[in-house]
């Protein structure tokens, strides 16, 4: 299993690089050509979410992206924002999203999760082991 690790400062300009690397690794891993746009969009969305959280909470740590091809193509995007900010709306029931008192930042996080769920069938969002930040894990099938 090959793993590619990429870390970048939390600046929007680096999201494009993460998308390009992610699609190149996906292609090499054997992800079907018709899924590559979904891979590109999902990696871009997950990285944009991580960058936005870092910038919103003043976290200078880099965003981490890991891509591996052990039987499936898995991508992890790890942020270091406070856990309560990172999980955001993931735990809210869908009818709570209509609550007008939610902040714009919370809605952005929630919309990010909704978009990711539309792009990726195998999506997990969970706190990282160290207790600060979240991991967005996305998996696609490969055909070799």
């Amino acid at each position: 299993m090959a793993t590619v690790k990429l870390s970048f400062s939390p600046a929007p300009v680096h999201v494009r690089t993460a998308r390009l690397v992610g699609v190149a690794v996906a292609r090499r891993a054997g992800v079907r050509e018709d899924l590559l746009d979904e891979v590109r969009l999902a990696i871009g969305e997950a990285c944009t979410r991580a960058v936005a959280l870092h910038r919103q909470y003043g976290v200078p740590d880099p965003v981490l992206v890991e891509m591996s091809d052990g039987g499936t193509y898995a991508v992890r995007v790890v942020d270091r924002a406070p856990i309560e900010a990172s999980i955001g709306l993931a735990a809210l029931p869908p009818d709570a999203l209509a609550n007008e008192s939610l902040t714009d930042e919370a809605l952005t996080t929630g919309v990010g999760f909704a978009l990711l769920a539309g792009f990726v069938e195998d999506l997990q969002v969970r706190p990282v082991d160290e207790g600060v930040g979240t991991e967005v894990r996305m998996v696609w099938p490969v055909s070799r």
Side-chain angles (χ1 to χ4, degrees), residues 87-111:
I87 296 298
L89 301 178
L92 290 179
D95 58 333
L97 295 176
N99 183 346
E100 293 180 22
S101 68
L102 292 173
T103 65
D104 286 341
E105 294 83 13
L107 287 174
T108 300
T109 302
V111 168

Side-chain angles (χ1 to χ4, degrees), residues 4 8-9 31 34 38 67-68 71 73 75 85 91 96 113 129 135 142:
V4 175
F8 58 90
S9 60
V31 173
D34 62 321
E38 292 176 16
M67 300 155 255
S68 59
Y73 177 59
V75 178
F113 286 135
D129 293 337
E135 167 190 331
V142 296

Side-chain angles (χ1 to χ4, degrees), residues 103-137:
T103 65
D104 286 341
E105 294 83 13
L107 287 174
T108 300
T109 302
V111 168
F113 286 135
L115 287 173
L116 283 171
F119 297 139
V120 185
E121 287 184 32
D122 189 350
L123 171 69
Q124 297 174 356
V125 180
R126 59 183 170 220
V128 292
D129 293 337
E130 298 84 31
V132 177
T134 53
E135 167 190 331
V136 175
R137 185 173 186 274

